[in-house]
Amino acid sequence: MPTRGELEAARSRQVADVLAPSLRVVFCGINPGLYTAWAGHHFARPGNRFWKALHLSGFTPRIFAPSEEDQLLWLGLGVTNLVPRTTARADELGRADLEAGAAALRGKLRRYGPRWLAMLGTGAYRAAFGSPGAVVGEQPDLLEGVRVWLLPNPSGLNAHYQLPALAGEFARLRLASEA
């Protein structure tokens, strides 16, 4: 486990995207947390349920460790963040951060052209894309020609979705992305 000082030092780090052209689904987190930035891999905090939900939903053949994130590319999957800036909590981001992140994400979608974008976190999506009524599931509007699916935030702090329900939402996306 990292020390408090090591975690604070991670604020200056960014986590590299795991992207390639024409992926089936790109998962987009809000921004890296301190533990994730310290580890250098997406969704690395031990309490985060992303990797478990990905497996339980059928996207991956087993639970991947965050350090195995590059293997997602072989499955037609990728990972990025809406905002690259590392914070201790997502609520440290302001509207300007989210709107700038939305513009940058649109650029990534144009560059890589995935079939689906899976946004992880309803509040951040609503603020970043001016969609106050957005709910979990497929969104009615495309982003840069890419279909969008809104998923709950897999953080262990999101008590509204326990792991079985979270995996169920991921599975709905998996089925849609295979059609």
Side-chain angles (χ1 to χ4, degrees), residues 54-79:
L54 208 59
H55 169 64
L56 292 172
S57 66
F59 272 113
T60 60
R62 62 181 174 77
I63 299 172
F64 286 0
S67 61
E68 298 175 298
E69 62 193 3
D70 288 343
Q71 292 186 29
L72 292 175
L73 297 174
W74 293 101
L75 300 172
L77 308 173
V79 185

Side-chain angles (χ1 to χ4, degrees), residues 47 49 89 154-160:
R49 301 163 301 168
R89 296 179 321 277
S155 167
L157 300 175
N158 183 359
H160 297 295

Side-chain angles (χ1 to χ4, degrees), residues 30-149:
I30 300 169
N31 75 308
L34 297 177
Y35 193 101
T36 287
W38 171 80
H41 301 289
H42 293 273
F43 305 105
R45 187 169 186 81
N48 194 294
R49 301 163 301 168
F50 175 78
W51 298 103
K52 288 179 182 176
L54 208 59
H55 169 64
L56 292 172
S57 66
F59 272 113
T60 60
R62 62 181 174 77
I63 299 172
F64 286 0
S67 61
E68 298 175 298
E69 62 193 3
D70 288 343
Q71 292 186 29
L72 292 175
L73 297 174
W74 293 101
L75 300 172
L77 308 173
V79 185
T80 189
N81 282 298
L82 180 62
V83 177
R85 183 167 64 90
T86 298
T87 62
R89 296 179 321 277
D91 65 5
E92 293 177 38
L93 300 173
R95 180 172 291 283
D97 291 311
L98 298 173
E99 290 172 352
L105 180 59
R106 286 179 182 277
K108 291 176 190 181
L109 295 177
R110 285 191 301 272
R111 178 176 178 193
Y112 292 102
R115 291 197 322 240
W116 286 90
L117 171 69
M119 289 294 306
L120 299 159
T122 54
Y125 178 81
R126 290 171 181 161
F129 294 98
S131 300
V135 296
V136 169
E138 185 172 0
Q139 301 306 296
D141 298 322
L142 303 178
L143 283 178
E144 304 302 326
V146 176
R147 295 171 79 176
V148 179
W149 195 283

Side-chain angles (χ1 to χ4, degrees), residues 10-49:
R11 284 186 188 272
S12 63
R13 297 184 189 156
Q14 292 186 355
V15 179
D17 290 335
V18 178
L19 295 174
S22 304
L23 294 172
R24 178 170 44 124
V25 179
V26 169
F27 293 90
C28 183
I30 300 169
N31 75 308
L34 297 177
Y35 193 101
T36 287
W38 171 80
H41 301 289
H42 293 273
F43 305 105
R45 187 169 186 81
N48 194 294
R49 301 163 301 168

Side-chain angles (χ1 to χ4, degrees), residues 27 53 56-57 59 118 120 135-138 149-153 161-176:
F27 293 90
L56 292 172
S57 66
F59 272 113
L120 299 159
V135 296
V136 169
E138 185 172 0
W149 195 283
L150 186 53
L151 288 169
N153 188 330
Y161 280 88
Q162 296 303 312
L163 183 58
L166 186 64
E169 293 298 338
F170 274 60
R172 288 179 52 219
L173 167 61
R174 181 186 56 77
L175 292 171

